Amino acid sequence: MEEECRVLSIQSHVVRGYVGNRAATFPLQVLGFEVDAVNSVQFSNHTGYSHWKGQVLNSGELQELYDGLKLNSVNQYDYVLTVCDPVMGDQRNGEGAMYVPDDLLPVYREKVVPVADIITPNQFEAELLTGRKIHSQEEALEVMDMLHAMGPDTVVITSSDLLSPRGNDYLMALGSQRTRAPDGSVVTQRIRMEMHKVDAVFVGTGDLFAAMLLAWTHKHPNNLKVACEKTVSAMHHVLQRTIKCAKAKSGEGVKPSPAQLELRMVQSKRDIESPEIVVQATVL
Amino acid sequence: MEEECRVLSIQSHVVRGYVGNRAATFPLQVLGFEVDAVNSVQFSNHTGYSHWKGQVLNSGELQELYDGLKLNSVNQYDYVLTGYTRDKSFLAMVVDIVQELKQQNPRLVYVCDPVMGDQRNGEGAMYVPDDLLPVYREKVVPVADIITPNQFEAELLTGRKIHSQEEALEVMDMLHAMGPDTVVITSSDLLSPRGNDYLMALGSQRTRAPDGSVVTQRIRMEMHKVDAVFVGTGDLFAAMLLAWTHKHPNNLKVACEKTVSAMHHVLQRTIKCAKGRPGRQAGGQRCGAVSCRAKAPTVSLAGPSGLGRGSMVEQHVHPC
């Protein structure tokens, strides 16, 4: 990358494994970005393990760190990346459940999303933010338009319950990007992607996705299709490598543990740098 | 790297810049190591800037994080890497952790940068509380396998001043006797054979030959001085030395050549970029804070060209 591009990433840190800043930093650095990382927590590992221990930053401490940067006049960034992912909840078989405190929802809806430029909610989170349920692709596109109206010009619904045209083995994701044409008119590019399901519970994939989407939309600012194809392809390679290694460790027929399912991030350096494209996004 | 190699790195974190874990993690990851990082502090930036703000981990919090790993039975490491620490009880906790991890894996290698101070023109000064010296000397260095003191720190640890290359080799032997089989004196005041523009570093590695005898490989390196104050270089050095001694376990010469060459490329790029920036002081003045541009292209770190040639000083074979 020719010109220095600086990202302020405010996410969690785990000693071991790849979630939050640990999922975002290495890929962005490998892709040539300068990443300044504020660790909002430091835990031994993510909370999907049997045990976890660590410490949380309060807002005063977060302010202190930002003040330090400001006092040195180095508070200049091209991107901010936060858990404006927005990591709030997920659903399984139509049942939604939140996994951060309920009082955060109004904050996201009224304060955070309006200042966001790119958001990557899953279906459940998109429904929560707009108050509107999604039962079909058409409704999903309407919900993405409602999200655009709240602020962000780029919306990617990273996963959904919707039945993919390719069948049950596939997960459907949708994206929508608003840009202003030279004549002033608003152009909206909408895409659909099908991703082959992997039979395991991964943690950190949303964080990795958001970081790589940042990178690829930076390199392809007016082409959400290409940016998403690269992001999703890279994800595919990382997950394939991860599940293969995890199964090798756990043994035949044994479900891999959370420790064994940690993303094979370091081993996937080349796939992150130049992902071989394995998914075609459909322009809607 | 074929087999997974896991490093536990206990160092500082800065939001911006490359010191401590920020200097060590990316290079090690790029070289294929799994790095588990305990951040001993989180500061906005290093303390060479006009201002810095942040929070410090205490030994209880360090214990908590280690306990989390232990409860999940994932406290297994091939390497431990530590650097700048200001707190005596934190350092003592680190030693306890290393000892327990060595019980889990007797082949674990502890790479320790015994950061205590530095010297200029023969005048040394400590920049950590002086009650850390006995902890390093009596507890830390004895469990370390690789240490990277500068000349001042080597003198502090052994109580012996260094005025010549011969004395430096003797001091390294004294350090071997305290524990570590690999000692690299990363910089010294000694006059390099190449002249004033060069900095001399020395290394010594003890290995056991198949017949049981002890072999000591000693090397000297001359590194071209760069007219600037860099921060984080020691941390980057220790991390890359870990990587290259791992790949070349019985060849300190090659491991050091690669480490020092990579350092050279990073520093050259850093000083070039720093001077190129408008509004920055150039030349011999301290450029505010010249943080290492550790985000070098992968090829520079993974396979550096052979600059900073090491020369073989002596190779001694000591029968038991």
Side-chain angles (χ1 to χ4, degrees):
Chain A
M1 183 156 38
E2 326 68 22
E3 252 172 67
E4 189 175 293
C5 195
R6 195 170 277 272
V7 180
L8 177 65
S9 180
I10 307 172
Q11 303 194 55
S12 33
H13 171 80
V14 284
V15 171
R16 174 203 166 91
Y18 297 98
V19 302
N21 265 336
R22 290 269 296 183
T25 304
F26 178 69
L28 283 169
Q29 289 177 321
V30 152
L31 287 165
F33 290 77
E34 280 287 348
V35 183
D36 286 5
V38 172
N39 297 323
S40 54
V41 311
Q42 177 167 222
F43 280 8
S44 52
N45 42 262
H46 69 68
T47 57
Y49 285 64
S50 317
H51 310 272
W52 66 91
K53 281 188 178 275
Q55 304 93 31
V56 173
L57 218 62
N58 61 46
S59 60
E61 290 164 327
L62 171 58
Q63 170 111 56
E64 235 189 335
L65 291 169
Y66 178 70
D67 282 348
L69 300 172
K70 201 165 152 184
L71 285 165
N72 291 308
S73 306
V74 292
N75 56 328
Q76 278 119 27
Y77 294 97
D78 302 293
Y79 286 91
V80 177
L81 174 63
T82 71
V83 183
C84 180
D85 188 350
V87 178
M88 285 191 297
D90 208 346
Q91 67 193 52
R92 220 155 296 204
N93 308 319
E95 271 290 317
M98 304 270 290
Y99 42 60
V100 296
D102 294 343
D103 53 0
L104 282 185
L105 172 57
V107 180
Y108 273 116
R109 200 177 43 218
E110 284 144 41
K111 298 203 153 187
V112 181
V113 171
V115 297
D117 301 285
I118 300 176
I119 59 170
T120 57
N122 56 35
Q123 177 182 328
F124 179 60
E125 292 156 350
E127 291 173 344
L128 275 181
L129 285 170
T130 55
R132 174 82 190 272
K133 282 266 181 200
I134 294 170
H135 309 98
S136 67
Q137 185 178 288
E138 288 59 46
E139 289 186 335
L141 298 185
E142 284 168 28
V143 162
M144 289 197 287
D145 278 343
M146 290 170 75
L147 289 166
H148 283 310
M150 289 167 73
D153 281 342
T154 302
V155 178
V156 178
I157 295 182
T158 51
S159 65
S160 71
D161 253 4
L162 299 172
L163 186 58
S164 156
R166 291 206 193 186
N168 266 328
D169 280 348
Y170 286 82
L171 201 65
M172 195 198 295
L174 294 152
S176 177
Q177 184 174 58
R178 255 182 207 184
T179 44
R180 209 157 277 282
D183 67 2
S185 59
V186 171
V187 178
T188 306
Q189 185 192 49
R190 295 182 181 99
I191 58 156
R192 177 182 70 225
M193 286 168 292
E194 280 96 16
M195 301 165 316
H196 202 284
K197 288 182 183 171
V198 183
D199 188 21
V201 178
F202 295 107
V203 182
T205 41
D207 304 332
L208 176 59
F209 186 95
M212 292 200 295
L213 188 69
L214 184 161
W216 293 119
T217 53
H218 178 76
K219 295 184 207 255
H220 305 283
N222 294 312
N223 198 333
L224 187 62
K225 178 183 187 297
V226 169
C228 282
E229 283 168 350
K230 289 190 175 178
T231 303
V232 171
S233 296
M235 292 291 307
H236 169 88
H237 297 301
V238 175
L239 292 181
Q240 286 300 313
R241 180 174 286 105
T242 301
I243 192 70
K244 197 167 141 202
C245 288
K247 284 187 167 161
K249 285 198 180 154
S250 65
E252 198 57 48
V254 179
K255 218 172 97 164
S257 66
Q260 290 163 340
L261 282 165
E262 290 284 4
L263 298 177
R264 308 308 277 163
M265 186 73 75
V266 161
Q267 298 76 7
S268 302
K269 185 184 66 177
R270 298 228 159 90
D271 294 313
I272 292 165
E273 280 170 334
S274 7
E276 185 201 318
I277 305 301
V278 294
V279 64
Q280 289 286 334
T282 311
V283 179
L284 301 171
Chain B
M1 180 154 43
E2 328 67 23
E3 254 175 67
E4 189 175 293
C5 195
R6 195 169 278 270
V7 180
L8 177 64
S9 180
I10 305 174
Q11 304 195 55
S12 353
H13 171 81
V14 285
V15 170
R16 173 200 167 91
Y18 298 98
V19 302
N21 266 337
R22 289 269 297 183
T25 304
F26 179 67
L28 283 169
Q29 289 176 321
V30 153
L31 289 167
F33 290 79
E34 280 287 348
V35 183
D36 286 7
V38 172
N39 297 325
S40 56
V41 312
Q42 177 168 222
F43 280 9
S44 52
N45 42 263
H46 70 67
T47 57
Y49 285 64
S50 317
H51 309 272
W52 66 92
K53 280 188 180 279
Q55 304 91 32
V56 171
L57 210 66
N58 61 45
S59 54
E61 289 164 329
L62 168 59
Q63 169 123 57
E64 235 190 334
L65 291 169
Y66 178 70
D67 282 349
L69 300 171
K70 201 166 149 181
L71 286 165
N72 291 307
S73 305
V74 293
N75 56 328
Q76 279 117 23
Y77 293 96
D78 303 292
Y79 286 89
V80 175
L81 175 63
T82 67
Y84 183 50
T85 308
R86 292 192 61 84
D87 183 298
K88 198 170 93 163
S89 62
F90 194 91
L91 198 54
M93 176 71 58
V94 167
V95 172
D96 288 343
I97 289 173
V98 168
Q99 284 173 321
E100 191 172 293
L101 290 174
K102 281 192 167 188
Q103 274 173 359
Q104 290 281 332
N105 175 16
R107 291 161 58 103
L108 184 147
V109 173
Y110 174 27
V111 179
C112 170
D113 187 1
V115 181
M116 287 185 281
D118 209 345
Q119 68 192 48
R120 211 159 302 201
N121 306 320
E123 271 293 313
M126 286 185 76
Y127 42 60
V128 301
D130 48 22
D131 62 356
L132 256 63
L133 173 55
V135 183
Y136 271 115
R137 199 177 43 217
E138 286 143 40
K139 296 193 156 193
V140 181
V141 171
V143 299
D145 301 286
I146 299 177
I147 59 170
T148 58
N150 56 35
Q151 178 182 330
F152 178 58
E153 292 155 352
E155 291 173 344
L156 277 179
L157 287 169
T158 54
R160 172 82 190 271
K161 282 267 182 195
I162 293 169
H163 307 97
S164 67
Q165 183 178 288
E166 288 60 44
E167 289 185 334
L169 298 185
E170 283 168 29
V171 163
M172 289 197 288
D173 278 344
M174 290 171 75
L175 290 166
H176 283 313
M178 288 167 74
D181 282 343
T182 303
V183 178
V184 178
I185 296 182
T186 53
S187 64
S188 71
D189 254 2
L190 298 172
L191 185 58
S192 157
R194 293 205 194 186
N196 265 330
D197 280 348
Y198 286 82
L199 198 66
M200 195 197 295
L202 295 152
S204 177
Q205 184 174 59
R206 255 182 208 183
T207 45
R208 211 159 274 282
D211 67 1
S213 59
V214 172
V215 179
T216 305
Q217 185 193 46
R218 296 186 179 96
I219 58 155
R220 176 183 69 229
M221 288 169 289
E222 281 97 16
M223 301 166 314
H224 200 283
K225 288 181 181 171
V226 182
D227 191 20
V229 177
F230 294 107
V231 182
T233 41
D235 304 330
L236 177 59
F237 186 96
M240 292 199 295
L241 187 70
L242 183 161
W244 293 118
T245 53
H246 177 76
K247 297 186 205 250
H248 305 282
N250 294 312
N251 198 333
L252 187 62
K253 178 181 186 295
V254 170
C256 282
E257 284 171 350
K258 289 190 173 178
T259 302
V260 171
S261 296
M263 294 289 308
H264 169 89
H265 296 302
V266 174
L267 292 181
Q268 286 300 313
R269 182 173 286 105
T270 301
I271 194 69
K272 198 168 137 197
C273 287
K275 284 181 171 170
R277 292 241 187 100
R280 285 224 170 224
Q281 300 169 311
Q285 296 154 313
R286 185 170 167 149
C287 305
V290 185
S291 274
C292 270
R293 304 277 269 170
K295 180 192 56 78
T298 307
V299 72
S300 294
L301 286 170
S305 56
L307 294 168
R309 262 180 299 280
S311 53
M312 293 295 284
V313 173
E314 321 165 83
Q315 182 146 15
H316 284 247
V317 177
H318 295 284
C320 292

